[in-house]
Amino acid sequence: MTKVIQTIEEWKTLRNSPALNSKSLGFVPTMGALHAGHTKLVEQSRSENDLTLVSIFINPTQFNEPRDYKEYPRVFDQDLEALTHDDVDFVFAPSFEELYPDCYRFQVSETFLSRDLCGSHRPGHFTGMLTVVLKLLLLAKANRAYFGEKDYQQYLLVRGLADAFFLESTIVPVSTVRDADGLALSSRNTRLTRRERERAPLFSRLLSSSAPPKEIKRELEQAGFSVDYIEDRCGRRFGAVRLGSVRLIDNVAL
């Protein structure tokens, strides 16, 4: 039976108990609105650890657009049902006041990679993300923490965070899960209209093609996408576009 924990004090007591100290723990941080990509993270955690903890917290400090935060799907009961079905041991669902007793006065910033790609188009996003992830990793004290490769820039930043602050959790990347038409799964996909959803797979198809970034950008714009960037870095091709009010990101190995 999945146990729901809402306070830091309750989790600390449980985490320090003999029952957990003697077992390995995997951690999957999420913002809810779970889909098959999250299921894959949970499955890998369960296969590599004795116990699995999933957090659900829609972190306001990483939303650079208030509308995006307001419209983010909030379906906790549905998420809990899915996690119970997946035999997750613990769900940590804290309030903002629990995680930010300082009201976000103290922040974690990175000065190189976070300023590029999504960082240059979403001011403050990565500072908010790194701040909450550091808090969650310190609280979870997990042996391993799992992050999807769809947000590859985020994965690189979290891995660097763990190294820089000597965190004991191993940061484990998990490959991107896609729909049958190739679109990378994302909680934001549910906000696409039917016609936008029909057009969206063109993004992943072109990103995976042999065309150069400039050509991909031109074709996407002609198809009605607004393109933030299409860039090749470190053996991968990264892209971010907007379709209607929804921002989509993806990346593929070159």
Side-chain angles (χ1 to χ4, degrees):
M1 182 67 181
T2 302
K3 182 176 178 59
V4 178
I5 298 143
Q6 294 182 304
T7 69
I8 290 173
E9 194 59 38
E10 183 183 3
W11 171 249
K12 284 183 175 180
T13 299
L14 185 59
R15 184 68 184 96
N16 293 327
S17 67
L20 264 70
N21 273 333
S22 62
K23 296 183 179 181
S24 61
L25 179 68
F27 176 45
V28 180
T30 82
M31 292 205 299
L34 306 180
H35 50 67
H38 297 105
T39 300
K40 186 173 182 179
L41 297 175
V42 168
E43 288 175 347
Q44 185 155 337
S45 175
R46 292 188 66 244
S47 72
E48 296 177 352
N49 304 278
D50 298 320
L51 299 169
T52 292
L53 166 71
V54 174
S55 65
I56 297 178
F57 178 69
I58 305 174
N59 178 40
T61 68
Q62 68 189 69
F63 286 83
N64 61 300
E65 296 179 2
R67 178 181 175 183
D68 194 21
Y69 173 68
K70 181 180 179 180
E71 295 182 352
Y72 193 88
R74 289 161 169 81
V75 287
F76 181 81
D77 290 343
Q78 178 180 312
D79 291 339
L80 181 58
E81 182 179 352
L83 294 173
T84 301
H85 179 269
D86 291 339
D87 293 324
V88 166
D89 300 283
F90 309 106
V91 171
F92 182 45
S95 65
F96 178 84
E97 290 73 20
E98 280 285 313
L99 279 187
Y100 288 96
D102 62 322
C103 296
Y104 198 41
R105 287 194 304 122
F106 295 91
Q107 304 174 10
V108 178
S109 61
E110 191 271 354
T111 60
F112 181 66
L113 179 59
S114 65
R115 298 180 179 180
D116 200 6
L117 300 174
C118 278
S120 63
H121 292 271
R122 300 187 66 188
H125 165 67
F126 284 125
T127 294
M129 181 276 292
L130 289 170
T131 300
V132 79
V133 167
L134 179 60
K135 290 170 182 277
L136 291 170
L137 289 174
L138 289 171
L139 289 169
K141 296 183 180 178
N143 299 83
R144 301 170 187 86
Y146 298 84
F147 291 81
E149 288 188 344
K150 181 184 75 70
D151 298 312
Y152 201 82
Q153 187 177 13
Q154 171 182 274
Y155 156 68
L156 292 176
L157 286 165
V158 171
R159 190 181 69 183
L161 174 81
D163 290 342
F165 289 95
F166 312 108
L167 303 182
E168 295 184 3
S169 300
T170 299
I171 307 302
V172 182
V174 180
S175 56
T176 303
V177 177
R178 300 180 181 277
D179 268 331
D181 57 14
L183 182 65
L185 295 188
S186 170
S187 302
R188 289 178 171 83
N189 291 356
T190 59
R191 290 169 48 200
L192 294 168
T193 67
R194 181 181 60 80
R195 299 186 72 174
E196 289 169 349
R197 180 61 186 80
E198 291 172 353
R199 274 190 292 165
L202 180 63
F203 174 39
S204 57
R205 287 202 300 272
L206 288 175
L207 205 65
S208 301
S209 73
S210 59
K214 287 184 178 181
E215 175 64 21
I216 294 173
K217 180 180 180 181
R218 185 184 65 80
E219 290 193 42
L220 286 170
E221 289 175 339
Q222 288 180 345
F225 292 78
S226 174
V227 180
D228 281 356
Y229 62 82
I230 305 290
E231 296 187 28
D232 294 346
R233 302 286 176 85
C234 305
R236 302 188 80 88
R237 173 164 289 169
F238 295 84
V241 301
R242 294 178 186 271
L243 193 54
S245 64
V246 181
R247 189 173 189 270
L248 304 174
I249 66 169
D250 201 351
N251 70 91
V252 296
L254 294 174

